[in-house]
Amino acid sequence: MSSENPSDVELSSTPDAFKTDIRLLGKVLGQVMLESEGETVFNVVEDLRRLAVKYRREGLPSDEAQLEDSIASLSDEEVNTVARAFGYFLHLSNLAEDRDQNRRKRLHELSGKAALRGSLKSAFDVLRNKGVSSAQIYEFLSKASIVPVLTAHPTEVQRKSTLDLHKSIAQVLLLTDQKQTPDERRQTLRSLYGLISTLWHTRMLRRHRLTVLDEIDNSLSYYNSTFLKAIPNIYADIHNCLNNDNNAYPTSDLAFLRMGSWIGGDRDGNPNVDANTLHQALTRQCRLIMTHYFAEIKELGTELSLSRGLGSISADLIALSMVSQDNSEHRVDEPYRRACIHIYARLSATSKHLLGESVATRPTYDAPVYQKSTDFLADLKIIADSLEQHNSGAVVHLRLAALMQTVSVFGFHLASVDLRQSSDVHERVLTELFNAAGVTHNGNQVQYDAMSESERVELLLSEIKQARPLVSPWFKYSEETSRELEILRMASYCRNHFGKDSIRQTIVSHTEALSDLLEVLVLQQETGLLRPVMATTAINDVINIQDFGGLMVVPLFETIPDLEKGPEIMANWLGINEVSEWLRRSHNGIQEVMLGYSDSNKDGGYLTSNWTLYKAERELVDVFRENNMRLRLFHGRGGSVGRGGGPSFEAILAQPPGTVNGQIRLTEQGEVIQVKYKDAEVGKWHLENIVAATLETSLQSNSEVHKAEDKNMADYAEPLAIMSAIAEQAYRDLVYGTEGFDDYFYASTPIQEIAGLNIGSRPSSRRSVRNINDLRAIPWGFSWAQCRVMMTGWYGMGTALNEYIESGSNDLQYKNVPETAAGRLAQLQEMVANWPFFRSLMSNMEQVLAKTDLGIARKYASLVPDDKLREHVFNRISEEYTLTVQQFRRVCGHELLEHDPVLASALSERFAYIDPLNHLQAELLKRYRNHVQSGVNDGNDDESEESRIQRAIHMTINGIAAGLRNSG
């Protein structure tokens, strides 16, 4: 951040364009800060920056001491400016990094080299080399389902106002790649200066906690900027890859890539989600997509100026244009425009029906409502077919093809909203309903919460066959029960109103037994989602759940024990005749299973979590094959590696064969949404990665792939099992077996201050107690990332690798353990080379190790008041980190990020600005906690000393999260 005049910086593209962008943005920010805050403050920030860069490059203790002294000497007024300065530079640095990624991708494509791995073209090339035809790929995609699901998990710390400015700055940066006249260059710089000045003067932090409605609106902003552009473009690319005729327009028959959302329907641990938020989510989604359609139809009508006198048109198009009530004499011979006017009128009536008001921007007339989005699509197809049939097919490519694909994918609902609730809530609700209704079973009054699992299953299966209602309008139920019944009734209403695709599944958190799933069937039956049967004459009472309705019941297996029990639970679930028949008739024989990466990591550590997930997936494949059902896995991945993060392309390719098979859903959470989907270009690449990986791993799941996987498991499962047990023991000894570890965690991380940051509508802990067991896995990982420990992505791995190499196993049941240390090391090296799962495991860990900094972590450890506890815990963390890095080099044969110079370079740039924020945050935590402990109350307004320090802490949290990019 320099005060040098930014107009002196060369804007043209250079071989080192990334650093050129960084330099330009830093200089503009420096100039803005100099003019806004004055030379004294500017010099304070600049001196800190130079110190941090020098210390990062040279590592001299004297530089570290000088950096810490400089930060400790900052006044409470100065710390806010320093936090903002470094935080905003990291925001700008991210824009430059994303731009560099886009630039490198474009240059690669222009070079004529082989298609980039992760691209659709690369995937098609791989498949065709394997003998997979275009017809086979099309047939596969026609039955596939790929759904990224946006969630509101609270690790996105940036305000929407800030994100909007980021998008504007990124757009102006694009202009600097072009040759510009002197006047154009000056205007570009003025725009950049103005936007960064606006960013500097925009409040970084939210004053109030986000509401669920805020979260809905924030997620919807990504549709106009990204998804409504990127997703139709992906379908167009697939059409081009599948068809030799470039003039033929996409048929819009494929709709495998869709969007999902949890926002408004995920009430697990969030009391702010209710029937109203669910209705609001779907209403706002509908309003957004209808507004988009109105704008597109208006533009389409403007474009389709084709005259009937200058070409032929189809009979269907004539009929559609003739029902239009447009009376303009100027459009008498313009049937396509007349057709668009009628479609616009029908959309207006449809929006009024769905939303209670028309969101049309132009006056129109009364017209029939589109009962389904497919009816709207049919009218558009009439226009496209007429153009195609009468030598004007090129016109379809201008706008109409993309619009048709958009309607096919997004309908009138935009995205499917999932419901989610914890199994213990369902249990309490049914306990109350059974008690209130006086239900008896085997001659006894039902006490549901006291029943054994077998008794519960028997009762629930009996209840599913009951035609009489369990819920009565004459009873007054508890608030919890009433809320649950209301949101399920609202789901039934929304499915009828917005279409069945608006809500398709309900997820059961903490699924621990078969009854947890059956409970949801009973509740659906009581709220109009699942139709009960009055009587049955089917042989053996097989069909008792109607085949015309109901949300798919999706178990979520999260903890290590739950993942281990998951396959057995699913075998029992699919073994129920009523359930299997219902799935075949209502859900095309597909059953979804969700796997949680967060709680399993918090429960057993990085290695054990990943290994348990992998084994569960393999066992689920066998269970579903035996029951002749199709499995769809829903991966509950977060941003951090400890929560299943890492590159999506590699993660999907590393799945066990048979677990993807064209069916995959995965969560996109917190700050990852902004990183991946900030604009259409970046978003399209990430979506393309998901589709390409799904294609490759599904269509290559042939006998050779299965043989390779069977061999890997036969050769390497035993070493993994041994290392998993060692790693889990090491992790649990530290986290759950160390007396006072809770105190260490709460003192050495900003977890308590994160709870005060207004970054989400959901509480950070399940209970209002200071206990790691009750702390949610997301703030658990987020807190460790803030203080640069990031132990959720590596702790226990060093011990596991080292002990396996040096000692092997004394258990004689293991047959595939080499006798010597050299043999075991060679075996691990083979695993990295041959097994995608293990290679991905080590690669993701490598990135986390590279971002970990124990020198900074020690600063946070100094906040722990108990000297003995501090030294004991920190030394264990430090020793394990050192051992893990050492063992990584030993097994992988290279230094951290040696094979990823692009990421290494980007991190090097970022660390110079993250490091000062970490030092500042540690200092501020000390000041704030001392202030709170002193009991001095200097007022509750925003200008009190306590409030200023707290605000500065929150700004450092914002900046560090922005710099690390995948910390949530």
Side-chain angles (χ1 to χ4, degrees), residues 263-280:
I263 308 172
D266 175 16
R267 58 207 188 278
D268 178 16
N270 192 344
N272 302 305
V273 175
D274 55 21
N276 177 61
T277 62
L278 178 62
H279 184 250
Q280 281 294 314

Side-chain angles (χ1 to χ4, degrees), residues 40 66 166 230 257 324 470 489 576 601 637 710 786 966:
T40 301
Q66 189 177 352
H166 289 177
L257 174 62
S324 172
L470 179 62
R489 291 186 185 116
I576 298 171
N601 183 290
R637 304 173 75 227
D710 290 342
Q786 282 285 311
N966 59 346

Side-chain angles (χ1 to χ4, degrees), residues 783-803:
S783 300
W784 286 118
Q786 282 285 311
C787 58
R788 302 285 288 280
V789 175
M790 298 179 170
M791 56 175 278
T792 57
W794 54 264
Y795 196 91
M797 280 291 290
T799 296
L801 292 167
N802 184 62
E803 288 194 14

Side-chain angles (χ1 to χ4, degrees), residues 429 432 476-487 489:
V429 168
E432 182 174 358
K476 182 175 178 59
Y477 299 106
S478 66
E479 180 181 356
E480 181 179 62
T481 295
S482 297
R483 284 167 59 90
E484 285 301 302
L485 295 175
E486 285 169 5
I487 198 168
R489 291 186 185 116

Side-chain angles (χ1 to χ4, degrees), residues 279 282-283 286-287 289-290 347-358 369-371 373 411-413 493-494 496-499:
H279 184 250
L282 285 164
T283 298
C286 178
R287 180 176 288 109
I289 193 62
M290 294 299 288
L347 275 180
S348 178
T350 305
S351 71
K352 188 172 183 179
H353 168 68
L354 293 175
L355 301 171
E357 60 177 349
S358 174
V369 169
Y370 285 121
Q371 296 299 326
S373 62
F412 291 145
H413 65 286
Y493 166 79
C494 288
N496 291 330
H497 191 66
F498 296 106

Side-chain angles (χ1 to χ4, degrees), residues 511-523:
T511 298
E512 299 172 347
L514 176 61
S515 61
D516 293 333
L517 304 181
L518 292 171
E519 288 166 357
V520 183
L521 288 182
V522 173
L523 291 173

Side-chain angles (χ1 to χ4, degrees), residues 874-938:
F874 182 79
N875 285 343
R876 289 187 62 178
I877 292 173
S878 179
E879 289 166 3
E880 182 66 21
Y881 174 78
T882 301
L883 182 62
T884 304
V885 173
Q886 179 190 78
Q887 296 305 311
F888 171 85
R889 292 179 184 135
R890 191 179 183 188
V891 172
C892 294
H894 61 82
E895 297 294 326
L896 296 177
L897 300 185
E898 183 179 329
H899 292 172
D900 194 345
V902 173
L903 178 58
S905 175
L907 287 179
S908 177
E909 291 289 336
R910 280 192 250 156
F911 284 153
Y913 297 90
I914 302 173
D915 293 354
L917 282 174
N918 280 123
H919 285 281
L920 179 59
Q921 186 181 92
E923 169 65 24
L924 290 170
L925 289 172
K926 181 172 67 174
R927 290 188 196 182
Y928 179 70
R929 292 171 184 177
N930 288 340
H931 194 280
V932 171
Q933 290 173 4
S934 69
V936 176
N937 186 351
D938 57 357

Side-chain angles (χ1 to χ4, degrees), residues 117 648-656 660 692-694 696-697 700 836-837:
R117 289 292 289 144
S648 298
F649 182 77
E650 286 81 1
I652 294 172
L653 290 182
Q655 297 299 306
V660 178
T694 302
E696 284 194 30
T697 193
Q700 287 193 93
F837 164 69

